[in-house]
Amino acid sequence: MNPLRTSIQAAFTEDFCIELEYHLSRAFHNCDDKKYKWHWCDGIDIPDWHNQPAKNPHHVFTMSYFGENDRQYLYKTTIKLGKRALENCREGLGLSECLPDEDTLDWITLDVENKEIVLRLK
């Protein structure tokens, strides 16, 4: 495994997955768009580090449980690490400060039909 992927793996802890889950749920709850207001996340899996594609080390691929109201579905989840997140990983720091603002959904791309979600960290 390359050094960057090792650093990303060390920063992408179970605690961070839980924090990201709640942060994502709050972002949807805070939005003004009634279409998305009641969406929420019920868990983000720790990535399977042995099956991460080597061609794009700045992305983390995993699964999350996501839905609306009481219905949850399994979503393919891509987490794109921005400059700040990559810098934090290289420096051995956590990813909490790399979470985007909870008052906007501009860091989230949701494809309900194909059950995919993309999250972009700072």
Side-chain angles (χ1 to χ4, degrees):
M1 193 178 308
N2 73 40
L4 177 58
R5 182 55 78 180
T6 301
S7 298
I8 292 169
Q9 183 177 349
F12 212 94
T13 65
E14 182 176 352
D15 286 342
F16 177 70
C17 288
I18 293 168
E19 183 175 6
L20 181 57
E21 165 194 343
Y22 286 102
H23 192 83
L24 179 60
S25 293
R26 284 189 301 268
F28 277 100
H29 181 73
N30 291 339
C31 83
D32 293 329
D33 188 339
K34 293 189 188 302
K35 178 179 177 183
Y36 296 112
K37 187 147 185 90
W38 303 112
H39 283 76
W40 61 292
C41 181
D42 193 30
I44 297 174
D45 289 345
I46 294 288
D48 179 355
W49 296 107
H50 298 292
N51 290 316
Q52 297 292 310
K55 68 180 181 176
N56 198 338
H58 300 161
H59 295 177
V60 175
F61 301 93
T62 190
M63 301 299 284
S64 61
Y65 301 87
F66 193 76
E68 184 177 8
N69 296 322
D70 62 345
R71 289 187 159 164
Q72 293 291 298
Y73 301 96
L74 193 59
Y75 274 67
K76 288 173 41 177
T77 304
T78 302
I79 301 165
K80 295 183 176 184
L81 303 175
K83 288 182 181 183
R84 188 177 193 180
L86 291 169
E87 184 177 311
N88 276 23
C89 289
R90 285 186 184 103
E91 293 178 9
L93 302 173
L95 293 172
S96 295
E97 68 181 38
C98 304
L99 293 171
D101 190 354
E102 290 179 348
D103 293 326
T104 180
L105 297 180
D106 66 355
W107 57 282
I108 302 165
T109 303
L110 179 65
D111 181 347
V112 175
E113 185 176 318
N114 292 309
K115 304 288 186 270
E116 295 179 356
I117 189 167
V118 177
L119 310 174
R120 290 174 296 284
L121 303 185
K122 296 180 194 174

